Amino acid sequence: MNKSIKLIFNYLLAPVLFIILSWSLYYQIINQPDLPDRWQHVKTSWHQGAFWFVCFLMTVNWGLEAKKWQLLISPLEKFSFIKSFKSVLAGCSITMLTPNRIGEYGGRIIYVEEKNRLSAISVTILGSISQMTITMLMGSLGLIFLRIMPKNHQQVSTMPWLTGNILLYVSITFTVILLIFYFRIRWVLLVIGKAGLIKSFIRHLRFIEFFTNKQLLRILVLSYTRYIVFILQYVLLLNVMGVNVSMILCFWLLTIFYLVMAVAPTIGFIELPVRAAVSVELFRMYSINIIGIQAAALGIWIINLVIPAIIGSILIFGIKILKDR
């Protein structure tokens, strides 16, 4: 490869990424309506132990993802837990700049040996499917819970995106499809291979066949555990911000929140307005503390996404993306 091109990739891409990410995050935060009130809510929560426990759970959250990535990449190469942790944080920085966080592979690839990078795409997709499956499954259960509870049915039926049973039926259908796809991935590869689709790339997907159902279940359990950490963080932060909603109701409302966020077209660094709007629409039926709801959305966004993305961009900054052969 031309030396000047290598220099561009090695020494310019990471700093440019860091600058773009930092500017985008700053722009999104300062342009939020009622920012002083929201920020005051966040600042007043700093002295509470629950707030710092939420911050601690951020490391648990990404630690679980690192463990999952370590397991996923194992058929290709051996990753230590620390290396896996750095890899997922690097992926977090890239994914903040892509629609619905599809760009995580772009950051994780830095830590994968060059010969394995194309094959690593398949295991990245498998990991994303496992997390999406849990999100769809729990979101479907949340919709069912709120619709069968008599005291909640009237409020839920007035929500614009829950008109009728469309979202419920669609989410259940996709959950079933994802579960079949996830546990019968070999069948999918066989069909793709026989049909001749993406024939030149199919060999890079074969590594998925190394996973047994027991390993796939373990990956799914890690995704579920991470999902529960998401929910716990949000429940605690809502409580810290003075949003008084019962824990059970809050849990199921958040399953719907994450379901909507999973299917809504967003880009990581500009998704804060969407997060705030969705959370307000869900919780304002049960709490009048709108500023507290918005402050919780801002806090979770900063703790779970912004801080890891900044750390990830710093990690990328210190790594040569392309190494001399």
Side-chain angles (χ1 to χ4, degrees):
M1 182 180 292
N2 185 279
K3 186 176 181 180
S4 61
I5 296 178
K6 283 189 176 183
L7 287 173
I8 292 174
F9 274 94
N10 288 339
Y11 300 107
L12 291 182
L13 182 58
V16 169
L17 171 65
F18 181 78
I19 292 170
I20 292 175
L21 181 62
S22 300
W23 178 87
S24 301
L25 296 174
Y26 172 77
Y27 181 81
Q28 284 301 304
I29 291 174
I30 65 171
N31 283 281
Q32 289 303 299
D34 302 319
L35 178 62
D37 293 331
R38 296 190 201 180
W39 186 243
Q40 186 60 37
H41 264 69
V42 174
K43 287 196 296 184
T44 56
S45 69
W46 289 353
H47 68 280
Q48 300 188 40
F51 176 83
W52 295 108
F53 185 59
V54 171
C55 294
F56 167 74
L57 287 176
M58 180 261 288
T59 62
V60 176
N61 169 15
W62 290 106
L64 287 167
E65 181 62 20
K67 185 63 179 177
K68 186 170 73 174
W69 175 238
Q70 185 184 24
L71 181 59
L72 284 164
I73 200 69
S74 59
L76 292 171
E77 58 185 272
K78 298 301 179 184
F79 265 38
S80 68
F81 179 77
I82 297 299
K83 183 178 179 181
S84 182
F85 202 100
K86 291 179 179 179
S87 181
V88 298
L89 290 180
C92 184
S93 66
I94 299 291
T95 197
M96 287 288 284
L97 302 174
T98 58
N100 289 69
R101 302 183 200 156
I102 61 175
E104 64 178 351
Y105 173 75
R108 296 185 184 190
I109 191 178
I110 298 172
Y111 290 87
V112 178
E113 293 182 11
E114 187 173 347
K115 63 181 181 180
N116 294 327
R117 287 176 179 173
L118 282 177
S119 298
I121 295 176
S122 59
V123 294
T124 305
I125 295 172
L126 187 65
S128 298
I129 292 174
S130 71
Q131 199 67 57
M132 176 62 78
T133 301
I134 294 298
T135 302
M136 297 295 294
L137 175 61
M138 296 303 297
S140 300
L141 293 175
L143 290 171
I144 293 171
F145 172 82
L146 291 180
R147 293 192 71 83
I148 64 176
M149 293 295 289
K151 63 180 180 180
N152 293 322
H153 180 78
Q154 184 176 357
Q155 293 97 320
V156 173
S157 64
T158 64
M159 297 169 65
W161 51 79
L162 296 181
T163 302
N165 295 314
I166 295 177
L167 182 57
L168 175 59
Y169 294 151
V170 169
S171 62
I172 291 175
T173 301
F174 272 96
T175 300
V176 173
I177 292 173
L178 284 172
L179 282 170
I180 295 174
F181 186 91
Y182 182 74
F183 283 106
R184 292 294 180 265
I185 191 69
R186 294 183 185 86
W187 295 357
V188 177
L189 292 178
L190 185 62
V191 171
I192 292 175
K194 288 185 175 180
L197 302 175
I198 55 174
K199 191 172 183 179
S200 60
F201 184 69
I202 191 66
R203 64 187 179 89
H204 296 291
L205 301 177
R206 293 297 181 189
F207 288 94
I208 298 178
E209 296 181 355
F210 285 98
F211 292 99
T212 64
N213 284 338
K214 183 178 180 180
Q215 289 174 314
L216 292 174
L217 183 60
R218 184 182 176 190
I219 293 168
L220 204 63
V221 169
L222 286 170
S223 295
Y224 175 76
T225 307
R226 188 181 178 218
Y227 182 87
I228 294 300
V229 172
F230 284 149
I231 298 290
L232 179 59
Q233 283 181 290
Y234 219 139
V235 169
L236 290 173
L237 202 55
L238 284 166
N239 183 261
V240 167
M241 299 301 174
V243 180
N244 297 316
V245 178
S246 69
M247 186 171 291
I248 294 178
L249 179 58
C250 189
F251 176 91
W252 291 114
L253 286 173
L254 287 172
T255 63
I256 299 174
F257 168 81
Y258 282 115
L259 172 63
V260 174
M261 290 305 303
V263 299
T266 60
I267 297 178
F269 68 83
I270 61 171
E271 75 173 34
L272 179 56
V274 180
R275 281 177 163 263
V278 173
S279 60
V280 167
E281 288 298 321
L282 281 169
F283 282 93
R284 71 177 180 178
M285 297 178 293
Y286 307 97
S287 174
I288 61 173
N289 186 2
I290 302 301
I291 294 298
I293 297 169
Q294 294 173 332
L298 173 63
I300 287 293
W301 185 70
I302 292 174
I303 293 170
N304 274 358
L305 296 175
V306 174
I307 294 176
I310 292 175
I311 295 172
S313 65
I314 293 173
L315 289 173
I316 293 176
F317 188 85
I319 296 174
K320 285 186 175 183
I321 294 179
L322 293 177
K323 297 180 179 179
D324 293 332
R325 291 181 180 274

PDB file of all heavy atoms in Angstrom, residues 122 186 189-190 193 201-210:
ATOM      1  N   SER A 122     -18.952 -11.870  10.600  1.00  0.00           N
ATOM      2  CA  SER A 122     -20.035 -12.814  10.871  1.00  0.00           C
ATOM      3  C   SER A 122     -20.312 -12.937  12.355  1.00  0.00           C
ATOM      4  O   SER A 122     -21.471 -12.960  12.782  1.00  0.00           O
ATOM      5  CB  SER A 122     -19.701 -14.193  10.281  1.00  0.00           C
ATOM      6  OG  SER A 122     -18.499 -14.697  10.840  1.00  0.00           O
ATOM      7  N   ARG A 186     -26.985 -22.404  10.991  1.00  0.00           N
ATOM      8  CA  ARG A 186     -26.384 -23.307  10.005  1.00  0.00           C
ATOM      9  C   ARG A 186     -27.318 -23.511   8.817  1.00  0.00           C
ATOM     10  O   ARG A 186     -26.866 -23.605   7.674  1.00  0.00           O
ATOM     11  CB  ARG A 186     -26.059 -24.657  10.656  1.00  0.00           C
ATOM     12  CG  ARG A 186     -24.984 -24.593  11.728  1.00  0.00           C
ATOM     13  CD  ARG A 186     -24.681 -25.986  12.275  1.00  0.00           C
ATOM     14  NE  ARG A 186     -23.743 -25.953  13.387  1.00  0.00           N
ATOM     15  CZ  ARG A 186     -24.098 -25.765  14.641  1.00  0.00           C
ATOM     16  NH1 ARG A 186     -25.372 -25.603  14.953  1.00  0.00           N
ATOM     17  NH2 ARG A 186     -23.182 -25.736  15.600  1.00  0.00           N
ATOM     18  N   LEU A 189     -27.043 -20.504   6.562  1.00  0.00           N
ATOM     19  CA  LEU A 189     -25.824 -20.535   5.760  1.00  0.00           C
ATOM     20  C   LEU A 189     -25.929 -21.556   4.639  1.00  0.00           C
ATOM     21  O   LEU A 189     -25.435 -21.334   3.522  1.00  0.00           O
ATOM     22  CB  LEU A 189     -24.632 -20.868   6.658  1.00  0.00           C
ATOM     23  CG  LEU A 189     -24.232 -19.803   7.694  1.00  0.00           C
ATOM     24  CD1 LEU A 189     -23.057 -20.296   8.532  1.00  0.00           C
ATOM     25  CD2 LEU A 189     -23.892 -18.486   7.027  1.00  0.00           C
ATOM     26  N   LEU A 190     -26.583 -22.688   4.925  1.00  0.00           N
ATOM     27  CA  LEU A 190     -26.749 -23.727   3.909  1.00  0.00           C
ATOM     28  C   LEU A 190     -27.602 -23.222   2.757  1.00  0.00           C
ATOM     29  O   LEU A 190     -27.285 -23.425   1.579  1.00  0.00           O
ATOM     30  CB  LEU A 190     -27.390 -24.970   4.536  1.00  0.00           C
ATOM     31  CG  LEU A 190     -27.534 -26.196   3.634  1.00  0.00           C
ATOM     32  CD1 LEU A 190     -26.154 -26.681   3.180  1.00  0.00           C
ATOM     33  CD2 LEU A 190     -28.295 -27.306   4.351  1.00  0.00           C
ATOM     34  N   GLY A 193     -25.630 -20.696   0.784  1.00  0.00           N
ATOM     35  CA  GLY A 193     -24.617 -21.367  -0.026  1.00  0.00           C
ATOM     36  C   GLY A 193     -25.199 -22.027  -1.257  1.00  0.00           C
ATOM     37  O   GLY A 193     -24.656 -21.914  -2.355  1.00  0.00           O
ATOM     38  N   PHE A 201     -18.257 -14.348  -0.438  1.00  0.00           N
ATOM     39  CA  PHE A 201     -18.130 -13.969   0.970  1.00  0.00           C
ATOM     40  C   PHE A 201     -18.562 -15.080   1.921  1.00  0.00           C
ATOM     41  O   PHE A 201     -18.250 -15.033   3.110  1.00  0.00           O
ATOM     42  CB  PHE A 201     -18.966 -12.707   1.234  1.00  0.00           C
ATOM     43  CG  PHE A 201     -18.838 -12.179   2.631  1.00  0.00           C
ATOM     44  CD1 PHE A 201     -17.656 -11.619   3.073  1.00  0.00           C
ATOM     45  CD2 PHE A 201     -19.911 -12.249   3.507  1.00  0.00           C
ATOM     46  CE1 PHE A 201     -17.526 -11.134   4.356  1.00  0.00           C
ATOM     47  CE2 PHE A 201     -19.800 -11.769   4.805  1.00  0.00           C
ATOM     48  CZ  PHE A 201     -18.598 -11.207   5.222  1.00  0.00           C
ATOM     49  N   ILE A 202     -19.239 -16.108   1.401  1.00  0.00           N
ATOM     50  CA  ILE A 202     -19.837 -17.121   2.261  1.00  0.00           C
ATOM     51  C   ILE A 202     -18.793 -17.859   3.097  1.00  0.00           C
ATOM     52  O   ILE A 202     -19.060 -18.268   4.235  1.00  0.00           O
ATOM     53  CB  ILE A 202     -20.649 -18.144   1.419  1.00  0.00           C
ATOM     54  CG1 ILE A 202     -21.506 -19.035   2.331  1.00  0.00           C
ATOM     55  CG2 ILE A 202     -19.729 -18.974   0.558  1.00  0.00           C
ATOM     56  CD1 ILE A 202     -22.590 -18.310   3.044  1.00  0.00           C
ATOM     57  N   ARG A 203     -17.578 -18.003   2.575  1.00  0.00           N
ATOM     58  CA  ARG A 203     -16.549 -18.720   3.339  1.00  0.00           C
ATOM     59  C   ARG A 203     -16.183 -17.987   4.621  1.00  0.00           C
ATOM     60  O   ARG A 203     -15.736 -18.600   5.587  1.00  0.00           O
ATOM     61  CB  ARG A 203     -15.312 -18.938   2.473  1.00  0.00           C
ATOM     62  CG  ARG A 203     -14.598 -17.673   2.043  1.00  0.00           C
ATOM     63  CD  ARG A 203     -13.480 -17.986   1.053  1.00  0.00           C
ATOM     64  NE  ARG A 203     -12.786 -16.800   0.604  1.00  0.00           N
ATOM     65  CZ  ARG A 203     -11.733 -16.281   1.230  1.00  0.00           C
ATOM     66  NH1 ARG A 203     -11.257 -16.874   2.314  1.00  0.00           N
ATOM     67  NH2 ARG A 203     -11.146 -15.197   0.768  1.00  0.00           N
ATOM     68  N   HIS A 204     -16.377 -16.669   4.625  1.00  0.00           N
ATOM     69  CA  HIS A 204     -16.065 -15.898   5.827  1.00  0.00           C
ATOM     70  C   HIS A 204     -17.146 -16.033   6.892  1.00  0.00           C
ATOM     71  O   HIS A 204     -16.947 -15.636   8.034  1.00  0.00           O
ATOM     72  CB  HIS A 204     -15.879 -14.422   5.477  1.00  0.00           C
ATOM     73  CG  HIS A 204     -14.711 -14.158   4.575  1.00  0.00           C
ATOM     74  ND1 HIS A 204     -13.408 -14.317   4.988  1.00  0.00           N
ATOM     75  CD2 HIS A 204     -14.662 -13.750   3.270  1.00  0.00           C
ATOM     76  CE1 HIS A 204     -12.585 -14.017   3.980  1.00  0.00           C
ATOM     77  NE2 HIS A 204     -13.324 -13.671   2.938  1.00  0.00           N
ATOM     78  N   LEU A 205     -18.289 -16.592   6.509  1.00  0.00           N
ATOM     79  CA  LEU A 205     -19.375 -16.789   7.462  1.00  0.00           C
ATOM     80  C   LEU A 205     -19.349 -18.174   8.106  1.00  0.00           C
ATOM     81  O   LEU A 205     -20.098 -18.437   9.037  1.00  0.00           O
ATOM     82  CB  LEU A 205     -20.728 -16.585   6.767  1.00  0.00           C
ATOM     83  CG  LEU A 205     -20.986 -15.212   6.120  1.00  0.00           C
ATOM     84  CD1 LEU A 205     -22.344 -15.221   5.415  1.00  0.00           C
ATOM     85  CD2 LEU A 205     -20.946 -14.102   7.158  1.00  0.00           C
ATOM     86  N   ARG A 206     -18.511 -19.042   7.585  1.00  0.00           N
ATOM     87  CA  ARG A 206     -18.503 -20.429   8.045  1.00  0.00           C
ATOM     88  C   ARG A 206     -18.093 -20.578   9.506  1.00  0.00           C
ATOM     89  O   ARG A 206     -18.387 -21.600  10.127  1.00  0.00           O
ATOM     90  CB  ARG A 206     -17.568 -21.261   7.158  1.00  0.00           C
ATOM     91  CG  ARG A 206     -18.062 -21.429   5.723  1.00  0.00           C
ATOM     92  CD  ARG A 206     -19.376 -22.176   5.691  1.00  0.00           C
ATOM     93  NE  ARG A 206     -19.856 -22.378   4.327  1.00  0.00           N
ATOM     94  CZ  ARG A 206     -21.053 -22.853   4.016  1.00  0.00           C
ATOM     95  NH1 ARG A 206     -21.896 -23.161   5.001  1.00  0.00           N
ATOM     96  NH2 ARG A 206     -21.415 -23.014   2.770  1.00  0.00           N
ATOM     97  N   PHE A 207     -17.442 -19.579  10.040  1.00  0.00           N
ATOM     98  CA  PHE A 207     -16.986 -19.691  11.428  1.00  0.00           C
ATOM     99  C   PHE A 207     -18.154 -19.750  12.403  1.00  0.00           C
ATOM    100  O   PHE A 207     -18.006 -20.232  13.528  1.00  0.00           O
ATOM    101  CB  PHE A 207     -16.067 -18.505  11.768  1.00  0.00           C
ATOM    102  CG  PHE A 207     -14.726 -18.587  11.109  1.00  0.00           C
ATOM    103  CD1 PHE A 207     -14.496 -17.955   9.896  1.00  0.00           C
ATOM    104  CD2 PHE A 207     -13.705 -19.314  11.687  1.00  0.00           C
ATOM    105  CE1 PHE A 207     -13.252 -18.031   9.274  1.00  0.00           C
ATOM    106  CE2 PHE A 207     -12.452 -19.409  11.073  1.00  0.00           C
ATOM    107  CZ  PHE A 207     -12.228 -18.759   9.867  1.00  0.00           C
ATOM    108  N   ILE A 208     -19.311 -19.279  11.983  1.00  0.00           N
ATOM    109  CA  ILE A 208     -20.491 -19.342  12.842  1.00  0.00           C
ATOM    110  C   ILE A 208     -20.864 -20.788  13.139  1.00  0.00           C
ATOM    111  O   ILE A 208     -21.418 -21.094  14.201  1.00  0.00           O
ATOM    112  CB  ILE A 208     -21.679 -18.593  12.179  1.00  0.00           C
ATOM    113  CG1 ILE A 208     -21.326 -17.121  12.005  1.00  0.00           C
ATOM    114  CG2 ILE A 208     -22.937 -18.733  13.020  1.00  0.00           C
ATOM    115  CD1 ILE A 208     -22.410 -16.317  11.326  1.00  0.00           C
ATOM    116  N   GLU A 209     -20.541 -21.695  12.210  1.00  0.00           N
ATOM    117  CA  GLU A 209     -20.898 -23.093  12.381  1.00  0.00           C
ATOM    118  C   GLU A 209     -20.158 -23.750  13.547  1.00  0.00           C
ATOM    119  O   GLU A 209     -20.539 -24.821  14.011  1.00  0.00           O
ATOM    120  CB  GLU A 209     -20.615 -23.862  11.089  1.00  0.00           C
ATOM    121  CG  GLU A 209     -21.467 -23.392   9.906  1.00  0.00           C
ATOM    122  CD  GLU A 209     -21.172 -24.185   8.651  1.00  0.00           C
ATOM    123  OE1 GLU A 209     -20.251 -25.022   8.682  1.00  0.00           O
ATOM    124  OE2 GLU A 209     -21.863 -23.970   7.635  1.00  0.00           O
ATOM    125  N   PHE A 210     -19.092 -23.117  14.017  1.00  0.00           N
ATOM    126  CA  PHE A 210     -18.338 -23.679  15.133  1.00  0.00           C
ATOM    127  C   PHE A 210     -19.089 -23.549  16.457  1.00  0.00           C
ATOM    128  O   PHE A 210     -18.753 -24.219  17.426  1.00  0.00           O
ATOM    129  CB  PHE A 210     -16.970 -22.983  15.259  1.00  0.00           C
ATOM    130  CG  PHE A 210     -15.984 -23.399  14.215  1.00  0.00           C
ATOM    131  CD1 PHE A 210     -15.789 -22.628  13.081  1.00  0.00           C
ATOM    132  CD2 PHE A 210     -15.254 -24.574  14.354  1.00  0.00           C
ATOM    133  CE1 PHE A 210     -14.872 -23.000  12.110  1.00  0.00           C
ATOM    134  CE2 PHE A 210     -14.335 -24.960  13.388  1.00  0.00           C
ATOM    135  CZ  PHE A 210     -14.145 -24.176  12.258  1.00  0.00           C
TER     136      PHE A 210
END
